[in-house]
Amino acid sequence: MRSRPTIIVAIISGALALLLIALGLVLVVSYEVARRNTEELTADKSGLIIDSIVDRIRDHLDPVSAQLAHVARPLESGTVDPSDTANLRRLMWSAMAATPQVSVIAFVTPNARVVRAFRNRPQLSARLSNWSDDQAIRRMIERSRLGKRAFWGHLFVAEPVQRTYLNRVRPVFKGEKFAGILISGVSVIELSDFVRRLGETHNTKAFILLGADAVLAHAAIRRGFRGLSDQHPLPSINEVNDAVLAAPALRRAIAANNLRSSGVTRHVITAGEHRYIVILRRLDGYGAKHWYVGAYLPSVEFSTQLGRLTYLPLAGLIVALVALVGAITLGRRLSAPIKRMATEARKVQNLNLYALNSLPRSFFRELDEVSQAFNAMTTALRTVAAYVPMSLVTRLMHDANSGPIPPEEREITVMFTDIVGFTALSEELKPTEVARLLNEHFALVDGCVAQEGGMVDKYIGDSVMAFWGAPERHPDHAVRACRAALAIIEAIENDNVWLRKAGLPIVRVRIVIHSGPVVVGDIGTPVRLNYTVIGDTVNIAQRLEMLARELVDARVDAAALVSDETAKRLERFHLEALGVQRLRGRLHSIEVHRLMGTT
């Protein structure tokens, strides 16, 4: 490493060579390279803008599904009776508290009796209706009965208030019996205001088209749009008074490219006397029709950047004349940020993301752009790290054949945690306090799981699912899971001591652990994968979670149950036998033990 020349020496030698050999050629080449780099940066900027908007839209809409699952769970387990309107209303309101984008939640029985809860109409906070004469609802019920899967339904128009809603539909089954459907409504007006703000963040005008003709989200409809009905739920592109959307070139662009969901396209469209850069990307998964997410801005913004390059030859000549004099100073100023960048890059290489320091602004444009891009990258990496298990990322980074992890059968141990009486607890707290409580609780559980080498698979409402034995193989996966459970119990009990003294609501937690074979690996589509586990072992653990509420005294702050399959793999743990128990929805019984500590 010491034998290599320093940046200062290299710059001096290069300056002499440029002056004596290729001054003119370098100027020409520099101009062409800078022009191409600018065009590529422009293309990258376009992709980053639209990808950011699409990701924010997904982040906005995908939690709707999770909250419907949160509402469905007590209905399916029998904790909440669908005929108990008061409890059902509280359950719906708790779900809406965590998803402000949801305007209404409805439960529809198989005979089309409906209970609705509204966010912005407190005088109608829980409303009973009969929709048996609505054929669309009938078709939705039948599809849910047969398909047994959640889906995005057709658009619904509340004609008295002229509001159109996106509807997420989730079937509800009590065992094998169809109990009805849950519908969560997201207002197109609210979505339009959200998309408008996303566009303003990037200094663009953003929009969403449903198909090639209907406008799903646009600043023009964020305060409503008159004349909507079930036959005409959305305004057309000619009705929103937007010359860019109404331009025939936009429809030709959609038809010609078919806009694959993974691809971003840029188009120059003339509207009136102005030219615009329009960025488009197809978004699937939110109904039968394709969504087209787009943003546009005046083309002059990109033309200005390209026009600046005409000054490069003259600036290059001046810089060349003083290059020898300023080479040492320039080299020092260049080497310092590069060294800092190399230092920070090594931290990224080692996944030491939270020790990263922001790179300072640089006097030089290219280094400044790289510094800002690096800072943006570190922010994005920290964000990704919050959603992707670091153990999985580490394996992928060190795998020479990095790619999707194929599903395989493996023996693992699965853990579920659940907050007892969370619905009642959330009623006593403000929505922000509920969110803070969950975040602090999940951080506690996640820390205990990570300490034992486990992997948190998902957060399900107030529950946490974690597992041991994948992706890293741990022969002692059952022991690790039980140590993590005891650590969680100790942390919960310590927290509750402080909460009781402060006069605050305490948190009671039930933990269940079960071991057995599962299929583990990447599950999903080519564009969206989830490393997870599936199989009967997971189902048994979920059923055991319901049983924990019955077997453990409600006054106990925290307790853990383990199945006999897990108990067989343990040594030096004190277990209390709870006998053979019948799990809800299962034909066979299992022997259950309570984890009391280590011996």
Side-chain angles (χ1 to χ4, degrees), residues 176-352:
E176 295 297 323
K177 183 179 179 182
F178 178 63
I181 60 175
L182 284 166
I183 305 175
S184 187
V186 178
S187 170
V188 167
I189 292 177
E190 190 275 339
L191 181 62
S192 293
D193 191 53
F194 179 73
V195 169
R196 175 190 63 83
R197 286 184 272 115
L198 288 181
E200 291 177 351
T201 301
H202 299 284
N203 295 318
T204 64
K205 291 188 177 180
F207 59 88
I208 304 176
L209 302 181
L210 181 62
D213 297 311
V215 181
L216 182 62
H218 188 278
I221 58 176
R222 66 189 179 92
R223 291 190 175 90
F225 198 90
R226 300 181 63 83
L228 301 180
S229 64
D230 286 338
Q231 292 72 35
H232 184 57
L234 297 173
S236 70
I237 57 177
N238 295 316
E239 293 177 321
V240 294
N241 194 26
D242 189 315
V244 176
L245 296 192
L250 180 63
R251 271 178 281 191
R252 288 197 298 268
I254 293 174
N257 292 281
N258 195 24
L259 295 176
R260 295 176 302 169
S261 59
S262 60
V264 177
T265 60
R266 291 190 306 145
H267 310 272
V268 178
I269 290 179
T270 301
E273 299 178 355
H274 302 284
R275 288 161 59 87
Y276 298 88
I277 301 294
V278 180
I279 317 161
L280 289 169
R281 176 175 166 182
R282 199 180 83 193
L283 178 60
D284 295 326
Y286 296 96
K289 282 190 175 183
H290 299 312
W291 287 17
Y292 296 101
V293 180
Y296 66 85
L297 67 166
S299 62
V300 67
E301 295 194 14
F302 291 115
S303 301
T304 301
Q305 296 179 26
L306 293 173
R308 291 172 185 165
L309 296 179
T310 59
Y311 299 101
L312 185 60
L314 179 59
L317 179 60
I318 297 173
V319 170
L321 293 176
V322 298
L324 188 58
V325 178
I328 296 178
T329 303
L330 179 63
R332 289 174 176 172
R333 297 196 66 176
L334 284 173
S335 62
I338 292 175
K339 290 179 181 178
R340 284 194 295 267
M341 192 178 303
T343 300
E344 299 306 314
R346 281 191 289 272
K347 295 179 183 177
V348 174
Q349 180 184 11
N350 297 326
L351 291 181
N352 194 10

